[in-house]
Amino acid sequence: MDRLEDVVSKRLVALVQTPQPRDVLRGLGVGDADLRRLVRRHHLQHHYGHYVDGRIDEYFAVVACAQAAYPGSVVSHFSAARLAGLRLWTDTGRSSAPPIDAAWLTRSPTAHRNQRRPDIVVRRAGLATVDVSRHLWLPVTSTARTVVDLARELPLREAAATVDHALRTGTTLTEMLTVAERQHHWPGIRGALAALEFGDPGSESVLESIARVLFAAAGLPAPVLQAQFFDGFGWMPERLDFWWPRFRTIGEADGLAKYEADSPEERRRRIRMHHRRDQRLGDRGVELVHFGWEDVVAPRSDLVARLRAAFARGESRPADPPTWRVAPLPSHRAA
């Protein structure tokens, strides 16, 4: 690194692959002015009294330095979920919404209580050996443990997004229930069990997950997820977000990302494809209800009423219902 002797620079580069406190680096002969300069030039990052290589992903560096500041801790909850690539959603409008951008850690129940701070959340709880995994060299809770911890923290509508994604990417319900069994007397475990049992790997997005919770709360029948129709020659490529066979009704969760594009031409092409898709589905003699984020999260949404009206129309259709199946789930585990 600039202005340091070659020997010192090489030792420093090797050391800061993991977070190091100031005293360790000063022991190499790196002065405070050197450290400030290296941070300013992005050769190093400095978080929570520790220094780490500036080339490391910033979020990973922040979490790793937080973990180093609490020896023996394990990265958990929201931080472990982000590192694992799990979907997360919280209703930031509620007053008790957790600080999801903080570094979340779990320490032994016998560890000293920690000073409260907004950017680090430390939970004291037992960790079985199988509850701990690794993200590179950093100790993190396993996916199953992470999901159960979050499901204990969050209401069903928020927990469902993470539970669904964990199931979709290969974590089994049995693995998560095994973790929950070890936590049978812990706070929030009843809500966590409800979220696990409600989970469905067919949900492909946060919007689909929270929509399912809305449908259940309104007393609607549980829909089939990711169904496909047979057109007389083969299975149509269109997969349905929600399908109520009895009522011949399709529910389509339309997130804005569906229409995002790098150019106006590409956006128009996607809109045309979407309209053609609707036409192909409509030709099967079904009701089709589109909805977006506002329809699901707005307190005065009319989505449930629209679906009930579609159910009534669909149930009265005289023609034979379309032949359908549930589309195969992905066979690989997501990274």
Side-chain angles (χ1 to χ4, degrees), residues 12 19 82 95 101 112 129 135 149 170 187 214 216-217 224 250 285 293 302-303 313 332:
L12 177 61
R82 284 184 63 174
S95 58
D101 292 329
H112 294 300
T129 301
H135 184 89
D149 283 346
L214 173 66
V224 175
I250 298 169
W293 273 97
D302 66 348
L303 175 58
R313 295 191 302 270
H332 63 281

mmCIF file of all heavy atoms in Angstrom, residues 12 19 82 95 101 112 129 135 149 170 187 214 216-217 224 250 285 293 302-303 313 332:
data_model
loop_
_atom_site.group_PDB
_atom_site.id
_atom_site.type_symbol
_atom_site.label_atom_id
_atom_site.label_comp_id
_atom_site.label_asym_id
_atom_site.label_seq_id
_atom_site.Cartn_x
_atom_site.Cartn_y
_atom_site.Cartn_z
ATOM 1 N N LEU A 12 0.443 -6.131 6.095
ATOM 2 C CA LEU A 12 -0.833 -5.449 6.318
ATOM 3 C C LEU A 12 -1.918 -6.018 5.410
ATOM 4 O O LEU A 12 -3.037 -6.291 5.863
ATOM 5 C CB LEU A 12 -0.664 -3.949 6.063
ATOM 6 C CG LEU A 12 -1.929 -3.088 6.192
ATOM 7 C CD1 LEU A 12 -2.485 -3.166 7.607
ATOM 8 C CD2 LEU A 12 -1.626 -1.641 5.802
ATOM 9 N N PRO A 19 -11.105 -8.489 9.897
ATOM 10 C CA PRO A 19 -11.042 -7.247 10.670
ATOM 11 C C PRO A 19 -9.951 -7.286 11.743
ATOM 12 O O PRO A 19 -9.782 -8.293 12.434
ATOM 13 C CB PRO A 19 -12.442 -7.157 11.306
ATOM 14 C CG PRO A 19 -13.316 -7.952 10.397
ATOM 15 C CD PRO A 19 -12.463 -9.080 9.912
ATOM 16 N N ARG A 82 -29.441 -11.332 4.755
ATOM 17 C CA ARG A 82 -28.904 -10.575 3.620
ATOM 18 C C ARG A 82 -27.673 -11.257 3.036
ATOM 19 O O ARG A 82 -27.514 -11.340 1.809
ATOM 20 C CB ARG A 82 -28.565 -9.150 4.056
ATOM 21 C CG ARG A 82 -29.784 -8.265 4.218
ATOM 22 C CD ARG A 82 -29.424 -6.840 4.555
ATOM 23 N NE ARG A 82 -28.654 -6.182 3.501
ATOM 24 C CZ ARG A 82 -28.325 -4.895 3.527
ATOM 25 N NH1 ARG A 82 -28.686 -4.140 4.562
ATOM 26 N NH2 ARG A 82 -27.635 -4.355 2.536
ATOM 27 N N SER A 95 -44.838 1.209 13.880
ATOM 28 C CA SER A 95 -43.974 1.883 14.851
ATOM 29 C C SER A 95 -42.899 0.978 15.415
ATOM 30 O O SER A 95 -41.825 1.446 15.810
ATOM 31 C CB SER A 95 -44.828 2.442 16.002
ATOM 32 O OG SER A 95 -45.562 1.392 16.638
ATOM 33 N N ASP A 101 -31.383 -2.485 8.825
ATOM 34 C CA ASP A 101 -30.080 -2.127 8.264
ATOM 35 C C ASP A 101 -28.958 -2.197 9.294
ATOM 36 O O ASP A 101 -27.794 -1.990 8.956
ATOM 37 C CB ASP A 101 -30.135 -0.720 7.666
ATOM 38 C CG ASP A 101 -31.016 -0.665 6.425
ATOM 39 O OD1 ASP A 101 -31.080 -1.685 5.709
ATOM 40 O OD2 ASP A 101 -31.653 0.377 6.182
ATOM 41 N N HIS A 112 -22.058 -10.883 28.721
ATOM 42 C CA HIS A 112 -22.467 -9.655 29.396
ATOM 43 C C HIS A 112 -23.469 -8.912 28.522
ATOM 44 O O HIS A 112 -23.419 -8.942 27.301
ATOM 45 C CB HIS A 112 -21.258 -8.758 29.655
ATOM 46 C CG HIS A 112 -20.276 -9.342 30.628
ATOM 47 N ND1 HIS A 112 -20.614 -9.656 31.928
ATOM 48 C CD2 HIS A 112 -18.974 -9.689 30.476
ATOM 49 C CE1 HIS A 112 -19.552 -10.157 32.548
ATOM 50 N NE2 HIS A 112 -18.542 -10.193 31.679
ATOM 51 N N THR A 129 -24.613 -26.403 17.632
ATOM 52 C CA THR A 129 -23.558 -26.487 16.615
ATOM 53 C C THR A 129 -24.141 -26.445 15.208
ATOM 54 O O THR A 129 -23.604 -25.779 14.310
ATOM 55 C CB THR A 129 -22.749 -27.787 16.795
ATOM 56 O OG1 THR A 129 -22.174 -27.794 18.113
ATOM 57 C CG2 THR A 129 -21.632 -27.877 15.772
ATOM 58 N N HIS A 135 -20.080 -17.880 6.252
ATOM 59 C CA HIS A 135 -20.116 -17.117 5.003
ATOM 60 C C HIS A 135 -18.688 -16.642 4.801
ATOM 61 O O HIS A 135 -18.231 -15.734 5.496
ATOM 62 C CB HIS A 135 -21.075 -15.934 5.132
ATOM 63 C CG HIS A 135 -21.235 -15.161 3.858
ATOM 64 N ND1 HIS A 135 -22.187 -15.480 2.910
ATOM 65 C CD2 HIS A 135 -20.548 -14.100 3.360
ATOM 66 C CE1 HIS A 135 -22.088 -14.638 1.906
ATOM 67 N NE2 HIS A 135 -21.101 -13.791 2.141
ATOM 68 N N ASP A 149 -35.446 -17.491 13.481
ATOM 69 C CA ASP A 149 -35.205 -16.294 14.296
ATOM 70 C C ASP A 149 -36.012 -15.110 13.776
ATOM 71 O O ASP A 149 -36.616 -14.354 14.549
ATOM 72 C CB ASP A 149 -33.715 -15.943 14.300
ATOM 73 C CG ASP A 149 -32.896 -16.835 15.217
ATOM 74 O OD1 ASP A 149 -33.493 -17.551 16.043
ATOM 75 O OD2 ASP A 149 -31.651 -16.825 15.107
ATOM 76 N N GLY A 170 -34.473 -24.273 -1.328
ATOM 77 C CA GLY A 170 -33.921 -25.564 -0.919
ATOM 78 C C GLY A 170 -33.904 -25.877 0.552
ATOM 79 O O GLY A 170 -33.643 -27.023 0.922
ATOM 80 N N PRO A 187 -39.573 -16.684 23.214
ATOM 81 C CA PRO A 187 -40.579 -15.683 22.809
ATOM 82 C C PRO A 187 -40.809 -15.711 21.301
ATOM 83 O O PRO A 187 -39.877 -15.823 20.516
ATOM 84 C CB PRO A 187 -39.933 -14.354 23.237
ATOM 85 C CG PRO A 187 -38.968 -14.718 24.320
ATOM 86 C CD PRO A 187 -38.453 -16.077 23.961
ATOM 87 N N LEU A 214 -52.785 -11.768 2.916
ATOM 88 C CA LEU A 214 -54.012 -10.979 2.808
ATOM 89 C C LEU A 214 -55.204 -11.874 2.466
ATOM 90 O O LEU A 214 -56.279 -11.750 3.068
ATOM 91 C CB LEU A 214 -53.843 -9.905 1.728
ATOM 92 C CG LEU A 214 -55.097 -9.095 1.372
ATOM 93 C CD1 LEU A 214 -55.521 -8.241 2.544
ATOM 94 C CD2 LEU A 214 -54.840 -8.225 0.141
ATOM 95 N N ALA A 216 -55.618 -15.072 3.055
ATOM 96 C CA ALA A 216 -55.962 -15.913 4.201
ATOM 97 C C ALA A 216 -56.688 -15.109 5.277
ATOM 98 O O ALA A 216 -57.672 -15.576 5.864
ATOM 99 C CB ALA A 216 -54.702 -16.558 4.772
ATOM 100 N N ALA A 217 -56.205 -13.884 5.553
ATOM 101 C CA ALA A 217 -56.834 -13.049 6.580
ATOM 102 C C ALA A 217 -58.261 -12.680 6.197
ATOM 103 O O ALA A 217 -59.121 -12.503 7.073
ATOM 104 C CB ALA A 217 -56.002 -11.795 6.803
ATOM 105 N N VAL A 224 -54.079 -22.033 -5.708
ATOM 106 C CA VAL A 224 -52.967 -22.830 -6.226
ATOM 107 C C VAL A 224 -51.932 -21.862 -6.778
ATOM 108 O O VAL A 224 -52.274 -20.889 -7.459
ATOM 109 C CB VAL A 224 -53.456 -23.771 -7.345
ATOM 110 C CG1 VAL A 224 -52.273 -24.525 -7.966
ATOM 111 C CG2 VAL A 224 -54.503 -24.731 -6.811
ATOM 112 N N ILE A 250 -58.008 -16.235 -12.010
ATOM 113 C CA ILE A 250 -56.556 -16.048 -11.926
ATOM 114 C C ILE A 250 -56.281 -14.736 -11.206
ATOM 115 O O ILE A 250 -56.915 -13.714 -11.497
ATOM 116 C CB ILE A 250 -55.923 -15.994 -13.327
ATOM 117 C CG1 ILE A 250 -56.152 -17.301 -14.080
ATOM 118 C CG2 ILE A 250 -54.428 -15.667 -13.242
ATOM 119 C CD1 ILE A 250 -55.786 -17.199 -15.560
ATOM 120 N N GLY A 285 -61.330 -19.081 -21.014
ATOM 121 C CA GLY A 285 -62.616 -18.914 -20.344
ATOM 122 C C GLY A 285 -62.493 -18.725 -18.848
ATOM 123 O O GLY A 285 -63.170 -19.405 -18.060
ATOM 124 N N TRP A 293 -48.734 -3.564 -5.649
ATOM 125 C CA TRP A 293 -48.364 -3.343 -4.245
ATOM 126 C C TRP A 293 -49.440 -2.587 -3.483
ATOM 127 O O TRP A 293 -49.806 -2.942 -2.364
ATOM 128 C CB TRP A 293 -47.048 -2.565 -4.178
ATOM 129 C CG TRP A 293 -45.851 -3.449 -4.212
ATOM 130 C CD1 TRP A 293 -45.086 -3.762 -5.298
ATOM 131 C CD2 TRP A 293 -45.280 -4.169 -3.118
ATOM 132 N NE1 TRP A 293 -44.080 -4.620 -4.946
ATOM 133 C CE2 TRP A 293 -44.164 -4.887 -3.616
ATOM 134 C CE3 TRP A 293 -45.600 -4.267 -1.769
ATOM 135 C CZ2 TRP A 293 -43.382 -5.690 -2.801
ATOM 136 C CZ3 TRP A 293 -44.812 -5.072 -0.952
ATOM 137 C CH2 TRP A 293 -43.720 -5.772 -1.481
ATOM 138 N N ASP A 302 -59.579 -2.473 -2.299
ATOM 139 C CA ASP A 302 -60.776 -3.210 -2.715
ATOM 140 C C ASP A 302 -60.425 -4.544 -3.372
ATOM 141 O O ASP A 302 -61.274 -5.163 -4.030
ATOM 142 C CB ASP A 302 -61.608 -2.361 -3.686
ATOM 143 C CG ASP A 302 -60.877 -2.103 -5.015
ATOM 144 O OD1 ASP A 302 -59.652 -2.373 -5.092
ATOM 145 O OD2 ASP A 302 -61.521 -1.625 -5.968
ATOM 146 N N LEU A 303 -59.189 -5.000 -3.205
ATOM 147 C CA LEU A 303 -58.751 -6.217 -3.892
ATOM 148 C C LEU A 303 -59.607 -7.422 -3.523
ATOM 149 O O LEU A 303 -60.011 -8.195 -4.403
ATOM 150 C CB LEU A 303 -57.275 -6.496 -3.577
ATOM 151 C CG LEU A 303 -56.722 -7.809 -4.141
ATOM 152 C CD1 LEU A 303 -56.870 -7.863 -5.659
ATOM 153 C CD2 LEU A 303 -55.254 -7.984 -3.744
ATOM 154 N N ARG A 313 -68.497 -14.455 -10.877
ATOM 155 C CA ARG A 313 -68.612 -14.535 -12.331
ATOM 156 C C ARG A 313 -68.048 -15.855 -12.856
ATOM 157 O O ARG A 313 -68.626 -16.517 -13.713
ATOM 158 C CB ARG A 313 -67.892 -13.356 -12.992
ATOM 159 C CG ARG A 313 -68.506 -11.999 -12.699
ATOM 160 C CD ARG A 313 -67.901 -10.932 -13.611
ATOM 161 N NE ARG A 313 -66.451 -10.820 -13.487
ATOM 162 C CZ ARG A 313 -65.835 -10.011 -12.627
ATOM 163 N NH1 ARG A 313 -66.550 -9.248 -11.800
ATOM 164 N NH2 ARG A 313 -64.514 -9.950 -12.593
ATOM 165 N N HIS A 332 -32.912 -26.707 -8.439
ATOM 166 C CA HIS A 332 -31.588 -26.387 -7.906
ATOM 167 C C HIS A 332 -31.725 -25.517 -6.673
ATOM 168 O O HIS A 332 -32.707 -24.840 -6.484
ATOM 169 C CB HIS A 332 -30.758 -25.638 -8.943
ATOM 170 C CG HIS A 332 -31.354 -24.321 -9.318
ATOM 171 N ND1 HIS A 332 -32.413 -24.184 -10.199
ATOM 172 C CD2 HIS A 332 -31.062 -23.040 -8.903
ATOM 173 C CE1 HIS A 332 -32.733 -22.919 -10.328
ATOM 174 N NE2 HIS A 332 -31.942 -22.205 -9.555
#
